[in-house]
Amino acid sequence: MRLVKMPRLGQDMSEGVLVEWLKSPGDRVEEGELLAVIETDKAEVAFESPTGGYLVAILMEPRASAATGAPIAWIADDPSAQPPSLDSPPSEPIAAGAAPAARAAGGPPSRPPTRESSRKPVSPLARRRAKELGVDISGVEGTGPRGRVTEDDVVRAHEAAQAGAPESRPLPRMRRAIARSMTRSAAIPQFRLVREVVIEMSDHAADGPKATYTDLLLWAAAKALAERPSVNASWIDGDPPSVRVHPAVNLGFAVAVDDGLVVPVIPDAASLSLAQTSAQRRRLEQAARRGRLRPENLEGGTFTVSNLGAAGIDEFTALINPPEAGILAVGAVKPRPVVVKGMLVAAPTVRLTLTGDHRVFDGMEGAKFLAALVAHLGPPARTGTDRPAMEGTR
């Protein structure tokens, strides 16, 4: 019998919300097979079973929250095994085939209720949320396992108390995480560079017929970062401070989901072809929207691309995602007037805005990065007014 605990799916994770069980009690589970979907501050993440066997008991209902390390399920080799009581859990996971003495007598151990055990169970997150909202936790009805009070219970109690009166809207976990990250970002001395570029997918059709403009820009950005590594870097506070230049381009791209956005990461993106980049982007984007990202899909990013072109935005400025030193904002691809060989013509162009950490690299280095990116978007003859800027960047 093995006890499954709430995993730590990120360095900063202290609690998680169990969004969905992907297995039911009695199901066979292989080690490494997806067991549940857990919401962290960053995203909904797929949790792999740490062991194989049969899921004999689940200890958390969907939407309940728990601290990392808290018990969430039992897995056993015998599908008919009875889980032990958690009132006095063993110091080590119960070995396969072993049974506690009380179970041998005919059932899980029990004990008379005491003052401590009769208290209403409250998740740490719910307790903090109640303090933030000024909710008396003793009056909140718990809907979690064994009547446990969850964060959602506290929020509902607060909304009920404020019914009919103006009130602030409680922030979901993801929006709170975004707020914290952007507050850190606002402390960074940031500058922006804007460049309008002629871009045509026909120049790259042979590399992957299903590739999109987003794929092309991700691929070109990864190649440019490999050529201008000072942009693929991070500021390191210390005495003295330093700059870490990352050996690989781990390219993040923003994906809009309910309540915010997530940034899946394509590892070693500079080594991929356009077709491989497209396949990775599609796989990660689908996983993000279905809540099936794995922890490693969200870690280790060195640069981010954010594309709002599909939303009709021509140009925007994105804030740096710490600890990265740069982010590229991509607008809509539209026919715009450009000068080609001295003639005014209409051509599909995109406006790219690079936001950089001025502590890590300056405007000239940012301009060289953009020139390298443009060089990968198509042959000079197809990039109109950008041809002079591309010379010498290949």
Side-chain angles (χ1 to χ4, degrees), residues 201-270:
M201 285 301 301
S202 58
D203 291 327
H204 302 271
D207 290 304
K210 294 183 179 180
T212 65
Y213 281 117
T214 296
D215 300 326
L216 177 58
L217 286 159
L218 288 171
W219 173 80
K223 299 298 184 185
L225 287 165
E227 296 171 11
R228 310 304 308 186
S230 58
V231 179
N232 190 52
S234 296
W235 175 264
I236 306 299
D237 282 319
D239 187 18
S242 61
V243 171
R244 177 184 298 153
V245 178
H246 301 289
V249 176
N250 297 329
L251 190 62
F253 62 99
V255 177
V257 295
D258 293 342
D259 296 328
L261 58 85
V262 296
V263 183
V265 175
I266 301 174
D268 199 15

Short mmCIF file of all heavy atoms in Angstrom, two decimals, residues 201-270:
data_model
loop_
_atom_site.label_atom_id
_atom_site.label_comp_id
_atom_site.label_asym_id
_atom_site.label_seq_id
_atom_site.Cartn_x
_atom_site.Cartn_y
_atom_site.Cartn_z
N MET A 201 4.58 33.40 -45.87
CA MET A 201 4.74 31.98 -45.57
C MET A 201 5.24 31.20 -46.78
O MET A 201 5.88 30.16 -46.65
CB MET A 201 3.42 31.38 -45.10
CG MET A 201 3.03 31.77 -43.68
SD MET A 201 4.24 31.30 -42.44
CE MET A 201 4.33 29.54 -42.67
N SER A 202 4.98 31.70 -48.00
CA SER A 202 5.37 30.97 -49.20
C SER A 202 6.87 30.76 -49.27
O SER A 202 7.34 29.80 -49.89
CB SER A 202 4.88 31.71 -50.45
OG SER A 202 5.42 33.02 -50.48
N ASP A 203 7.63 31.64 -48.62
CA ASP A 203 9.08 31.49 -48.62
C ASP A 203 9.53 30.26 -47.85
O ASP A 203 10.65 29.79 -48.01
CB ASP A 203 9.75 32.72 -48.00
CG ASP A 203 9.60 33.96 -48.88
OD1 ASP A 203 9.59 33.79 -50.11
OD2 ASP A 203 9.49 35.07 -48.32
N HIS A 204 8.65 29.72 -46.99
CA HIS A 204 9.03 28.61 -46.11
C HIS A 204 8.11 27.41 -46.25
O HIS A 204 8.14 26.51 -45.43
CB HIS A 204 9.01 29.09 -44.65
CG HIS A 204 9.92 30.25 -44.40
ND1 HIS A 204 11.23 30.11 -44.06
CD2 HIS A 204 9.69 31.59 -44.49
CE1 HIS A 204 11.79 31.30 -43.90
NE2 HIS A 204 10.87 32.21 -44.17
N ALA A 205 7.31 27.38 -47.32
CA ALA A 205 6.31 26.31 -47.46
C ALA A 205 6.95 24.94 -47.48
O ALA A 205 6.39 23.97 -46.97
CB ALA A 205 5.49 26.53 -48.73
N ALA A 206 8.15 24.83 -48.05
CA ALA A 206 8.79 23.53 -48.15
C ALA A 206 9.17 22.96 -46.79
O ALA A 206 9.34 21.75 -46.64
CB ALA A 206 10.04 23.63 -49.03
N ASP A 207 9.29 23.82 -45.78
CA ASP A 207 9.70 23.36 -44.45
C ASP A 207 8.55 22.77 -43.64
O ASP A 207 8.75 22.16 -42.61
CB ASP A 207 10.32 24.52 -43.66
CG ASP A 207 11.67 24.93 -44.22
OD1 ASP A 207 12.55 24.05 -44.32
OD2 ASP A 207 11.80 26.10 -44.57
N GLY A 208 7.34 22.99 -44.09
CA GLY A 208 6.21 22.47 -43.32
C GLY A 208 4.92 23.12 -43.78
O GLY A 208 4.66 24.26 -43.42
N PRO A 209 4.12 22.44 -44.59
CA PRO A 209 2.91 23.06 -45.16
C PRO A 209 1.89 23.46 -44.11
O PRO A 209 1.05 24.30 -44.38
CB PRO A 209 2.37 21.96 -46.09
CG PRO A 209 2.97 20.68 -45.59
CD PRO A 209 4.31 21.05 -45.04
N LYS A 210 1.95 22.87 -42.91
CA LYS A 210 0.97 23.21 -41.89
C LYS A 210 1.44 24.31 -40.95
O LYS A 210 0.75 24.68 -40.02
CB LYS A 210 0.62 21.96 -41.07
CG LYS A 210 -0.09 20.87 -41.88
CD LYS A 210 -0.47 19.69 -41.00
CE LYS A 210 -1.21 18.62 -41.80
NZ LYS A 210 -1.59 17.46 -40.95
N ALA A 211 2.63 24.84 -41.19
CA ALA A 211 3.16 25.88 -40.31
C ALA A 211 2.35 27.16 -40.45
O ALA A 211 1.82 27.47 -41.51
CB ALA A 211 4.62 26.14 -40.63
N THR A 212 2.24 27.91 -39.35
CA THR A 212 1.54 29.18 -39.33
C THR A 212 2.54 30.31 -39.17
O THR A 212 3.74 30.10 -38.98
CB THR A 212 0.56 29.22 -38.15
OG1 THR A 212 1.32 29.18 -36.92
CG2 THR A 212 -0.41 28.04 -38.17
N TYR A 213 2.04 31.55 -39.25
CA TYR A 213 2.91 32.69 -39.01
C TYR A 213 3.53 32.62 -37.61
O TYR A 213 4.68 32.98 -37.40
CB TYR A 213 2.13 34.00 -39.18
CG TYR A 213 1.93 34.40 -40.62
CD1 TYR A 213 0.65 34.48 -41.18
CD2 TYR A 213 3.02 34.71 -41.44
CE1 TYR A 213 0.47 34.86 -42.50
CE2 TYR A 213 2.84 35.09 -42.76
CZ TYR A 213 1.56 35.17 -43.29
OH TYR A 213 1.38 35.53 -44.59
N THR A 214 2.74 32.17 -36.64
CA THR A 214 3.27 32.03 -35.28
C THR A 214 4.45 31.06 -35.26
O THR A 214 5.49 31.33 -34.65
CB THR A 214 2.17 31.55 -34.32
OG1 THR A 214 1.15 32.54 -34.23
CG2 THR A 214 2.74 31.30 -32.92
N ASP A 215 4.29 29.93 -35.95
CA ASP A 215 5.38 28.95 -36.00
C ASP A 215 6.63 29.54 -36.63
O ASP A 215 7.75 29.34 -36.15
CB ASP A 215 4.94 27.72 -36.79
CG ASP A 215 3.74 27.02 -36.18
OD1 ASP A 215 3.63 27.01 -34.95
OD2 ASP A 215 2.91 26.48 -36.95
N LEU A 216 6.43 30.28 -37.74
CA LEU A 216 7.56 30.88 -38.43
C LEU A 216 8.29 31.87 -37.53
O LEU A 216 9.52 31.88 -37.48
CB LEU A 216 7.07 31.57 -39.70
CG LEU A 216 8.12 32.32 -40.53
CD1 LEU A 216 9.25 31.39 -40.95
CD2 LEU A 216 7.47 32.97 -41.75
N LEU A 217 7.54 32.67 -36.80
CA LEU A 217 8.16 33.66 -35.92
C LEU A 217 8.86 33.00 -34.74
O LEU A 217 9.93 33.46 -34.31
CB LEU A 217 7.11 34.67 -35.46
CG LEU A 217 6.70 35.67 -36.55
CD1 LEU A 217 5.34 36.29 -36.25
CD2 LEU A 217 7.75 36.77 -36.69
N LEU A 218 8.28 31.94 -34.19
CA LEU A 218 8.95 31.20 -33.11
C LEU A 218 10.27 30.61 -33.62
O LEU A 218 11.31 30.70 -32.96
CB LEU A 218 8.05 30.09 -32.59
CG LEU A 218 6.83 30.51 -31.76
CD1 LEU A 218 5.93 29.31 -31.50
CD2 LEU A 218 7.26 31.12 -30.44
N TRP A 219 10.22 30.00 -34.79
CA TRP A 219 11.41 29.39 -35.37
C TRP A 219 12.49 30.44 -35.63
O TRP A 219 13.66 30.24 -35.28
CB TRP A 219 11.01 28.68 -36.66
CG TRP A 219 12.15 28.14 -37.47
CD1 TRP A 219 12.83 26.98 -37.26
CD2 TRP A 219 12.73 28.75 -38.62
NE1 TRP A 219 13.81 26.82 -38.21
CE2 TRP A 219 13.77 27.89 -39.05
CE3 TRP A 219 12.46 29.93 -39.33
CZ2 TRP A 219 14.55 28.19 -40.18
CZ3 TRP A 219 13.24 30.21 -40.44
CH2 TRP A 219 14.28 29.36 -40.85
N ALA A 220 12.08 31.57 -36.23
CA ALA A 220 13.05 32.63 -36.53
C ALA A 220 13.62 33.24 -35.26
O ALA A 220 14.81 33.56 -35.19
CB ALA A 220 12.38 33.70 -37.40
N ALA A 221 12.79 33.42 -34.24
CA ALA A 221 13.27 33.98 -32.98
C ALA A 221 14.29 33.06 -32.33
O ALA A 221 15.31 33.51 -31.79
CB ALA A 221 12.09 34.23 -32.03
N ALA A 222 14.03 31.74 -32.37
CA ALA A 222 14.97 30.79 -31.78
C ALA A 222 16.31 30.83 -32.49
O ALA A 222 17.37 30.82 -31.85
CB ALA A 222 14.38 29.38 -31.83
N LYS A 223 16.29 30.88 -33.83
CA LYS A 223 17.54 30.96 -34.58
C LYS A 223 18.29 32.24 -34.25
O LYS A 223 19.53 32.24 -34.08
CB LYS A 223 17.25 30.89 -36.08
CG LYS A 223 16.57 29.61 -36.55
CD LYS A 223 17.41 28.38 -36.28
CE LYS A 223 16.75 27.13 -36.85
NZ LYS A 223 17.49 25.89 -36.51
N ALA A 224 17.55 33.37 -34.16
CA ALA A 224 18.18 34.66 -33.86
C ALA A 224 18.78 34.68 -32.46
O ALA A 224 19.86 35.26 -32.23
CB ALA A 224 17.17 35.78 -34.03
N LEU A 225 18.11 34.05 -31.49
CA LEU A 225 18.64 34.00 -30.13
C LEU A 225 19.94 33.20 -30.06
O LEU A 225 20.85 33.53 -29.30
CB LEU A 225 17.60 33.39 -29.19
CG LEU A 225 16.40 34.28 -28.87
CD1 LEU A 225 15.28 33.45 -28.25
CD2 LEU A 225 16.79 35.42 -27.94
N ALA A 226 20.03 32.14 -30.87
CA ALA A 226 21.26 31.37 -30.90
C ALA A 226 22.40 32.19 -31.47
O ALA A 226 23.56 32.03 -31.06
CB ALA A 226 21.05 30.10 -31.72
N GLU A 227 22.08 33.10 -32.40
CA GLU A 227 23.10 33.95 -33.01
C GLU A 227 23.45 35.16 -32.15
O GLU A 227 24.57 35.67 -32.24
CB GLU A 227 22.62 34.41 -34.39
CG GLU A 227 22.44 33.27 -35.38
CD GLU A 227 21.76 33.71 -36.66
OE1 GLU A 227 21.61 34.94 -36.86
OE2 GLU A 227 21.36 32.84 -37.46
N ARG A 228 22.52 35.62 -31.35
CA ARG A 228 22.75 36.78 -30.47
C ARG A 228 22.51 36.32 -29.03
O ARG A 228 21.50 36.65 -28.39
CB ARG A 228 21.81 37.94 -30.81
CG ARG A 228 21.75 38.33 -32.28
CD ARG A 228 23.09 38.67 -32.88
NE ARG A 228 23.83 39.67 -32.12
CZ ARG A 228 24.99 40.19 -32.53
NH1 ARG A 228 25.52 39.79 -33.69
NH2 ARG A 228 25.62 41.09 -31.80
N PRO A 229 23.39 35.52 -28.46
CA PRO A 229 23.15 34.90 -27.15
C PRO A 229 23.03 35.88 -26.00
O PRO A 229 22.49 35.52 -24.94
CB PRO A 229 24.36 33.98 -26.98
CG PRO A 229 25.41 34.53 -27.88
CD PRO A 229 24.67 35.09 -29.05
N SER A 230 23.50 37.12 -26.16
CA SER A 230 23.38 38.07 -25.06
C SER A 230 21.93 38.44 -24.78
O SER A 230 21.61 38.95 -23.70
CB SER A 230 24.19 39.34 -25.37
OG SER A 230 23.75 39.93 -26.57
N VAL A 231 21.03 38.17 -25.74
CA VAL A 231 19.60 38.40 -25.51
C VAL A 231 18.97 37.20 -24.81
O VAL A 231 17.97 37.32 -24.11
CB VAL A 231 18.89 38.72 -26.85
CG1 VAL A 231 17.39 38.95 -26.66
CG2 VAL A 231 19.52 39.94 -27.52
N ASN A 232 19.58 36.04 -25.00
CA ASN A 232 19.10 34.80 -24.38
C ASN A 232 19.79 34.64 -23.02
O ASN A 232 20.57 33.73 -22.79
CB ASN A 232 19.42 33.61 -25.29
CG ASN A 232 18.75 32.34 -24.85
OD1 ASN A 232 17.54 32.30 -24.64
ND2 ASN A 232 19.52 31.28 -24.72
N ALA A 233 19.49 35.57 -22.12
CA ALA A 233 20.25 35.66 -20.87
C ALA A 233 19.35 36.11 -19.73
O ALA A 233 18.18 36.46 -19.94
CB ALA A 233 21.42 36.64 -21.05
N SER A 234 19.90 36.13 -18.52
CA SER A 234 19.16 36.55 -17.33
C SER A 234 20.06 37.36 -16.41
O SER A 234 21.26 37.09 -16.31
CB SER A 234 18.63 35.33 -16.55
OG SER A 234 17.70 34.59 -17.30
N TRP A 235 19.46 38.34 -15.74
CA TRP A 235 20.14 39.12 -14.72
C TRP A 235 20.15 38.33 -13.41
O TRP A 235 19.14 37.78 -13.00
CB TRP A 235 19.42 40.45 -14.52
CG TRP A 235 19.95 41.29 -13.40
CD1 TRP A 235 19.50 41.36 -12.12
CD2 TRP A 235 21.06 42.19 -13.47
NE1 TRP A 235 20.24 42.24 -11.39
CE2 TRP A 235 21.22 42.78 -12.18
CE3 TRP A 235 21.95 42.57 -14.49
CZ2 TRP A 235 22.21 43.71 -11.90
CZ3 TRP A 235 22.93 43.51 -14.20
CH2 TRP A 235 23.05 44.06 -12.92
N ILE A 236 21.31 38.27 -12.77
CA ILE A 236 21.46 37.55 -11.52
C ILE A 236 21.85 38.55 -10.43
O ILE A 236 22.93 39.15 -10.49
CB ILE A 236 22.52 36.44 -11.61
CG1 ILE A 236 22.23 35.50 -12.79
CG2 ILE A 236 22.60 35.67 -10.29
CD1 ILE A 236 20.92 34.78 -12.69
N ASP A 237 20.96 38.75 -9.46
CA ASP A 237 21.30 39.62 -8.33
C ASP A 237 22.38 38.97 -7.49
O ASP A 237 22.37 37.76 -7.27
CB ASP A 237 20.06 39.88 -7.47
CG ASP A 237 19.14 40.92 -8.09
OD1 ASP A 237 19.65 41.92 -8.62
OD2 ASP A 237 17.91 40.70 -8.06
N GLY A 238 23.30 39.76 -7.01
CA GLY A 238 24.37 39.23 -6.18
C GLY A 238 25.34 40.35 -5.85
O GLY A 238 25.13 41.52 -6.18
N ASP A 239 26.40 39.99 -5.20
CA ASP A 239 27.43 40.97 -4.84
C ASP A 239 28.79 40.44 -5.28
O ASP A 239 29.44 39.69 -4.55
CB ASP A 239 27.41 41.22 -3.33
CG ASP A 239 28.34 42.36 -2.92
OD1 ASP A 239 28.73 43.16 -3.81
OD2 ASP A 239 28.67 42.45 -1.72
N PRO A 240 29.24 40.79 -6.50
CA PRO A 240 28.58 41.71 -7.43
C PRO A 240 27.50 41.00 -8.26
O PRO A 240 27.51 39.76 -8.35
CB PRO A 240 29.74 42.16 -8.33
CG PRO A 240 30.62 40.94 -8.38
CD PRO A 240 30.55 40.31 -7.02
N PRO A 241 26.60 41.76 -8.90
CA PRO A 241 25.60 41.15 -9.78
C PRO A 241 26.27 40.61 -11.03
O PRO A 241 27.40 40.98 -11.37
CB PRO A 241 24.66 42.32 -10.11
CG PRO A 241 25.48 43.54 -9.91
CD PRO A 241 26.43 43.23 -8.79
N SER A 242 25.57 39.73 -11.73
CA SER A 242 26.13 39.12 -12.93
C SER A 242 25.02 38.86 -13.94
O SER A 242 23.84 39.01 -13.65
CB SER A 242 26.86 37.82 -12.58
OG SER A 242 25.95 36.88 -12.00
N VAL A 243 25.44 38.45 -15.14
CA VAL A 243 24.51 38.07 -16.21
C VAL A 243 24.79 36.63 -16.60
O VAL A 243 25.94 36.27 -16.85
CB VAL A 243 24.66 38.99 -17.44
CG1 VAL A 243 23.84 38.45 -18.61
CG2 VAL A 243 24.21 40.41 -17.10
N ARG A 244 23.75 35.81 -16.62
CA ARG A 244 23.89 34.41 -17.03
C ARG A 244 23.43 34.28 -18.47
O ARG A 244 22.27 34.56 -18.79
CB ARG A 244 23.07 33.51 -16.13
CG ARG A 244 23.10 32.02 -16.56
CD ARG A 244 22.19 31.18 -15.69
NE ARG A 244 22.63 31.23 -14.30
CZ ARG A 244 21.84 31.06 -13.26
NH1 ARG A 244 20.54 30.88 -13.45
NH2 ARG A 244 22.32 31.10 -12.03
N VAL A 245 24.34 33.86 -19.34
CA VAL A 245 23.99 33.58 -20.73
C VAL A 245 23.64 32.10 -20.83
O VAL A 245 24.45 31.24 -20.51
CB VAL A 245 25.16 33.92 -21.67
CG1 VAL A 245 24.80 33.57 -23.11
CG2 VAL A 245 25.51 35.41 -21.57
N HIS A 246 22.43 31.81 -21.27
CA HIS A 246 21.94 30.44 -21.27
C HIS A 246 22.52 29.65 -22.44
O HIS A 246 22.54 30.15 -23.58
CB HIS A 246 20.42 30.41 -21.32
CG HIS A 246 19.78 31.13 -20.17
ND1 HIS A 246 19.80 30.63 -18.88
CD2 HIS A 246 19.13 32.33 -20.10
CE1 HIS A 246 19.17 31.47 -18.08
NE2 HIS A 246 18.76 32.50 -18.79
N PRO A 247 22.97 28.43 -22.20
CA PRO A 247 23.58 27.64 -23.28
C PRO A 247 22.58 27.15 -24.31
O PRO A 247 22.97 26.82 -25.43
CB PRO A 247 24.23 26.48 -22.52
CG PRO A 247 23.43 26.34 -21.26
CD PRO A 247 23.02 27.73 -20.89
N ALA A 248 21.31 27.05 -23.96
CA ALA A 248 20.28 26.57 -24.89
C ALA A 248 19.16 27.60 -24.97
O ALA A 248 18.91 28.36 -24.03
CB ALA A 248 19.72 25.23 -24.44
N VAL A 249 18.48 27.62 -26.11
CA VAL A 249 17.32 28.49 -26.29
C VAL A 249 16.08 27.70 -25.92
O VAL A 249 15.64 26.82 -26.67
CB VAL A 249 17.23 28.99 -27.75
CG1 VAL A 249 15.95 29.82 -27.94
CG2 VAL A 249 18.46 29.81 -28.12
N ASN A 250 15.53 27.97 -24.75
CA ASN A 250 14.28 27.36 -24.31
C ASN A 250 13.18 28.40 -24.49
O ASN A 250 13.04 29.31 -23.68
CB ASN A 250 14.38 26.91 -22.86
CG ASN A 250 15.44 25.84 -22.66
OD1 ASN A 250 15.70 25.04 -23.56
ND2 ASN A 250 16.08 25.82 -21.51
N LEU A 251 12.45 28.27 -25.58
CA LEU A 251 11.57 29.35 -26.04
C LEU A 251 10.16 29.18 -25.51
O LEU A 251 9.48 28.19 -25.80
CB LEU A 251 11.56 29.37 -27.57
CG LEU A 251 10.88 30.55 -28.24
CD1 LEU A 251 11.59 31.86 -27.88
CD2 LEU A 251 10.87 30.38 -29.75
N GLY A 252 9.69 30.15 -24.73
CA GLY A 252 8.32 30.16 -24.23
C GLY A 252 7.41 30.91 -25.19
O GLY A 252 7.85 31.82 -25.91
N PHE A 253 6.14 30.54 -25.22
CA PHE A 253 5.16 31.27 -26.03
C PHE A 253 3.85 31.33 -25.24
O PHE A 253 3.43 30.36 -24.64
CB PHE A 253 4.96 30.62 -27.41
CG PHE A 253 4.43 29.23 -27.39
CD1 PHE A 253 3.07 28.98 -27.62
CD2 PHE A 253 5.26 28.14 -27.16
CE1 PHE A 253 2.57 27.69 -27.60
CE2 PHE A 253 4.77 26.85 -27.15
CZ PHE A 253 3.42 26.62 -27.36
N ALA A 254 3.25 32.50 -25.24
CA ALA A 254 2.07 32.73 -24.42
C ALA A 254 0.84 32.09 -25.05
O ALA A 254 0.60 32.21 -26.26
CB ALA A 254 1.84 34.23 -24.26
N VAL A 255 0.04 31.41 -24.22
CA VAL A 255 -1.21 30.77 -24.64
C VAL A 255 -2.33 31.26 -23.73
O VAL A 255 -2.24 31.12 -22.50
CB VAL A 255 -1.11 29.23 -24.56
CG1 VAL A 255 -2.45 28.60 -24.94
CG2 VAL A 255 0.00 28.72 -25.48
N ALA A 256 -3.35 31.84 -24.31
CA ALA A 256 -4.48 32.34 -23.52
C ALA A 256 -5.35 31.18 -23.07
O ALA A 256 -5.71 30.31 -23.87
CB ALA A 256 -5.31 33.33 -24.34
N VAL A 257 -5.67 31.14 -21.78
CA VAL A 257 -6.58 30.14 -21.20
C VAL A 257 -7.56 30.88 -20.30
O VAL A 257 -7.47 32.10 -20.12
CB VAL A 257 -5.80 29.08 -20.39
CG1 VAL A 257 -4.89 28.27 -21.31
CG2 VAL A 257 -4.98 29.72 -19.28
N ASP A 258 -8.50 30.15 -19.72
CA ASP A 258 -9.45 30.77 -18.80
C ASP A 258 -8.70 31.42 -17.65
O ASP A 258 -7.78 30.83 -17.07
CB ASP A 258 -10.42 29.73 -18.25
CG ASP A 258 -11.35 29.19 -19.32
OD1 ASP A 258 -11.47 29.84 -20.37
OD2 ASP A 258 -11.93 28.10 -19.12
N ASP A 259 -9.08 32.65 -17.31
CA ASP A 259 -8.54 33.39 -16.17
C ASP A 259 -7.13 33.92 -16.40
O ASP A 259 -6.54 34.48 -15.47
CB ASP A 259 -8.54 32.55 -14.87
CG ASP A 259 -9.95 32.20 -14.45
OD1 ASP A 259 -10.85 33.01 -14.72
OD2 ASP A 259 -10.15 31.13 -13.87
N GLY A 260 -6.54 33.75 -17.59
CA GLY A 260 -5.20 34.30 -17.77
C GLY A 260 -4.46 33.66 -18.92
O GLY A 260 -5.03 33.39 -19.98
N LEU A 261 -3.18 33.44 -18.74
CA LEU A 261 -2.37 32.82 -19.78
C LEU A 261 -1.31 31.94 -19.14
O LEU A 261 -0.94 32.12 -17.98
CB LEU A 261 -1.73 33.88 -20.68
CG LEU A 261 -0.82 34.94 -20.05
CD1 LEU A 261 0.61 34.44 -19.89
CD2 LEU A 261 -0.82 36.19 -20.91
N VAL A 262 -0.84 30.99 -19.93
CA VAL A 262 0.27 30.14 -19.53
C VAL A 262 1.35 30.26 -20.58
O VAL A 262 1.09 30.67 -21.72
CB VAL A 262 -0.16 28.67 -19.35
CG1 VAL A 262 -1.15 28.53 -18.22
CG2 VAL A 262 -0.73 28.10 -20.64
N VAL A 263 2.57 29.91 -20.22
CA VAL A 263 3.70 30.03 -21.13
C VAL A 263 4.41 28.68 -21.22
O VAL A 263 5.37 28.42 -20.49
CB VAL A 263 4.68 31.14 -20.68
CG1 VAL A 263 5.82 31.29 -21.69
CG2 VAL A 263 3.95 32.46 -20.50
N PRO A 264 3.94 27.78 -22.11
CA PRO A 264 4.68 26.53 -22.32
C PRO A 264 6.04 26.83 -22.95
O PRO A 264 6.22 27.86 -23.61
CB PRO A 264 3.78 25.76 -23.30
CG PRO A 264 2.47 26.45 -23.29
CD PRO A 264 2.73 27.86 -22.93
N VAL A 265 6.98 25.93 -22.75
CA VAL A 265 8.35 26.15 -23.19
C VAL A 265 8.76 25.06 -24.18
O VAL A 265 8.59 23.86 -23.91
CB VAL A 265 9.32 26.16 -22.00
CG1 VAL A 265 10.77 26.26 -22.45
CG2 VAL A 265 8.98 27.31 -21.06
N ILE A 266 9.30 25.48 -25.33
CA ILE A 266 9.88 24.56 -26.31
C ILE A 266 11.37 24.45 -26.01
O ILE A 266 12.12 25.41 -26.21
CB ILE A 266 9.68 25.06 -27.75
CG1 ILE A 266 8.19 25.23 -28.06
CG2 ILE A 266 10.34 24.12 -28.75
CD1 ILE A 266 7.91 25.87 -29.42
N PRO A 267 11.84 23.32 -25.48
CA PRO A 267 13.25 23.21 -25.12
C PRO A 267 14.15 23.11 -26.34
O PRO A 267 13.77 22.54 -27.36
CB PRO A 267 13.30 21.93 -24.28
CG PRO A 267 12.15 21.13 -24.76
CD PRO A 267 11.08 22.10 -25.17
N ASP A 268 15.34 23.70 -26.23
CA ASP A 268 16.35 23.65 -27.29
C ASP A 268 15.74 23.98 -28.64
O ASP A 268 15.97 23.29 -29.65
CB ASP A 268 17.01 22.26 -27.31
CG ASP A 268 18.35 22.27 -28.03
OD1 ASP A 268 18.91 23.37 -28.26
OD2 ASP A 268 18.85 21.19 -28.38
N ALA A 269 14.98 25.08 -28.68
CA ALA A 269 14.21 25.43 -29.88
C ALA A 269 15.10 25.78 -31.07
O ALA A 269 14.69 25.62 -32.22
CB ALA A 269 13.28 26.60 -29.57
N ALA A 270 16.32 26.25 -30.83
CA ALA A 270 17.19 26.65 -31.94
C ALA A 270 17.64 25.45 -32.77
O ALA A 270 18.11 25.63 -33.89
CB ALA A 270 18.40 27.40 -31.39
#
